[in-house]
Amino acid sequence: MIKRVLVIGGYGNFGSFISRHLASDKRVQVIVAGRSLEKAQKLANEIGAEFAGVDINQDFDAALQTIQPDIVVHTSGPFQGQGYDVARACIGRGCNYIDLADARDFVQGIGDLDELATKHRVLVVSGASSVPCLSAALVDHYSPQFATLEDVDYGITTAQKTARGLATTAAILGYAGKPFKTLKDGNLQDVYGWQDLHLRKYRKLGWRLLGNCDVPDLALFPKRYQNLRNLRFAAGLEIPLLHMVLWVLSWMVRLRLIKRLDRYATTMLKLSFLFDWLGSSNSAFHMRLSGKGQAGQSKSIVFELTARAGDGPFIPCMPSILLVQKLVSGELVQTGAFPCLGLVSLNEYLEALGDLDIAWEETLA
């Protein structure tokens, strides 16, 4: 039986990749949706999908009643300022819900809908993205090699020429210079967004600057991996000048010279494109896991993934695609509401990236 999959923001940076990929699956009827009916129609005609004008802030429940989807994939961020109205509407209509949220509180709080989702026998998954899906899949994969896993240090360095939108920019700027908690020396302590400036040398890309970023993992992992003592997630911009500017601005927010940066997201996004000629289309992800091995020795494993030709943004799209496929095939039968942890294995994730210009390797350090 063909399943109807509504992709909200289906013509955007992430949504368009998801729509294209799912449209090639004969078991799926994709409905490309968003506030711009023209953009939705253009992509839908190109990939052989249906289209719809949908605004999640206006009569969304009525739109669901008209479209009658079996699964909804919500890609329209930023999720930092959203509530759970979309997910609640999906539950009420009896359709499964998946989002690509990377907002800490949003993903962590999705469990508040668990009882309602279970009652209506639907699946509600938040954070079907690089974090926490890929990051948790990595820890789950490598943790059996440790008697005690104590430290996880990981991050993403973006490509300057990568496709980027206003929602992602606003989300990043929203916590620049703002405090948030992460695990340090066994306790939750405050760090500040885009600070703790440090360098890391990537095997295939060279040196990149990184700084603190707030992600759902920082709240979820201390509960999931209870022996952890240190947890750090960082991200960086390819062009050092732009990263340093953001670092300086984060200090201005921290010192309360500027209240918040996300109000300038539109201007800063436009300015960032002026520097594309200085950058590349290559990005990377890394994770270093450290602790005690099974024989009691000190042990560290480093996983590094490199994406070229602008394929980096497709990495966050894979979990939602895989979850849709699992729902369609009947492999995934869970109901309830929870973050995207333990639903996709590392091998499944990497296999799904096989057709892209993405390579990975692991080393003992």
Side-chain angles (χ1 to χ4, degrees):
M1 181 177 177
I2 294 177
K3 298 294 185 180
R4 294 176 59 78
V5 180
L6 173 66
V7 185
I8 302 172
Y11 48 77
N13 288 331
F14 293 158
S16 60
F17 180 79
I18 294 169
S19 297
R20 289 177 186 278
H21 199 101
L22 291 176
S24 66
D25 190 329
K26 295 181 179 180
R27 304 169 300 171
V28 171
Q29 176 60 59
V30 171
I31 304 97
V32 180
R35 286 181 295 179
S36 172
L37 184 62
E38 181 181 354
K39 291 180 180 179
Q41 182 177 12
K42 181 179 179 180
L43 179 60
N45 290 342
E46 183 181 336
I47 64 176
E50 295 180 19
F51 61 92
V54 172
D55 186 336
I56 60 174
N57 298 310
Q58 295 182 10
D59 297 325
F60 181 67
D61 185 69
L64 285 181
Q65 185 176 9
T66 300
I67 298 169
Q68 293 288 307
D70 299 292
I71 305 167
V72 171
V73 180
H74 184 9
T75 76
S76 185
F79 290 88
Q80 280 80 355
Q82 291 189 34
Y84 298 117
D85 292 347
V86 174
R88 287 183 182 278
C90 291
I91 294 172
R93 290 292 171 184
C95 57
N96 299 297
Y97 165 94
I98 301 164
D99 69 47
L100 275 67
D102 61 359
R104 179 178 184 150
D105 291 340
F106 186 96
V107 177
Q108 183 184 16
I110 198 69
D112 292 346
L113 302 180
D114 184 62
E115 183 178 351
L116 185 63
T118 301
K119 178 182 177 181
H120 285 77
R121 299 180 181 178
V122 297
L123 178 67
V124 172
V125 178
S126 186
S129 189
S130 304
V131 289
C133 184
L134 174 58
S135 49
L138 280 162
V139 179
D140 290 344
H141 181 82
Y142 289 113
S143 57
Q145 299 185 34
F146 293 85
T148 304
L149 178 62
E150 300 172 351
D151 305 324
V152 177
D153 192 327
Y154 59 119
I156 297 171
T157 177
T158 62
Q160 175 61 24
K161 293 182 179 179
T162 190
R164 54 195 184 274
L166 182 59
T168 301
T169 303
I172 290 171
L173 294 176
Y175 55 76
K178 301 288 188 179
F180 54 86
K181 292 190 181 297
T182 191
L183 196 62
K184 297 179 70 175
D185 299 322
N187 298 302
L188 289 174
Q189 301 181 32
D190 280 338
V191 295
Y192 290 83
W194 288 95
Q195 299 196 353
D196 282 347
L197 187 69
H198 59 284
L199 277 166
R200 187 182 191 280
K201 187 175 184 180
Y202 288 87
R203 288 178 175 272
K204 297 183 179 180
L205 300 185
W207 292 98
R208 295 283 181 97
L209 284 167
L210 299 168
N212 294 329
C213 280
D214 192 14
V215 291
D217 308 29
L218 303 184
L220 299 172
F221 282 16
K223 299 174 184 177
R224 185 174 176 84
Y225 311 108
Q226 296 185 4
N227 290 321
L228 280 180
R229 291 188 54 79
N230 295 287
L231 180 66
R232 179 173 70 169
F233 178 81
L237 308 179
E238 178 182 2
I239 298 176
L241 173 63
L242 296 183
H243 191 104
M244 291 299 297
V245 167
L246 185 52
W247 177 73
V248 170
L249 289 173
S250 75
W251 270 106
M252 295 180 73
V253 172
R254 182 174 177 178
L255 296 173
R256 300 184 180 180
L257 300 174
I258 299 176
K259 186 174 182 180
R260 50 192 291 181
L261 292 178
D262 53 348
R263 65 178 62 182
Y264 308 111
T266 300
T267 299
M268 294 181 72
L269 176 63
K270 290 179 179 178
L271 289 174
S272 74
F273 288 112
L274 299 177
F275 295 85
D276 281 3
W277 65 280
L278 292 172
S280 72
S281 299
N282 304 325
S283 56
F285 172 95
H286 77 276
M287 177 179 282
R288 182 187 181 105
L289 307 96
S290 304
K292 299 296 182 183
Q294 298 296 344
Q297 80 282 16
S298 295
K299 182 181 180 71
S300 289
I301 298 173
V302 177
F303 175 91
E304 191 167 303
L305 180 151
T306 305
R308 299 184 180 279
D311 283 352
F314 301 145
I315 297 170
C317 300
M318 284 306 176
S320 62
I321 293 170
L322 290 169
L323 291 180
V324 168
Q325 292 173 338
K326 288 186 176 190
L327 285 168
V328 170
S329 68
E331 179 184 349
L332 182 58
V333 296
Q334 288 176 257
T335 60
F338 35 79
C340 193
L341 299 169
L343 297 176
V344 177
S345 72
L346 180 61
N347 289 335
E348 288 174 326
Y349 208 127
L350 296 180
E351 183 179 352
L353 299 176
D355 293 334
L356 301 169
D357 192 355
I358 297 175
W360 52 87
E361 58 184 332
E362 61 178 72
T363 57
L364 295 176

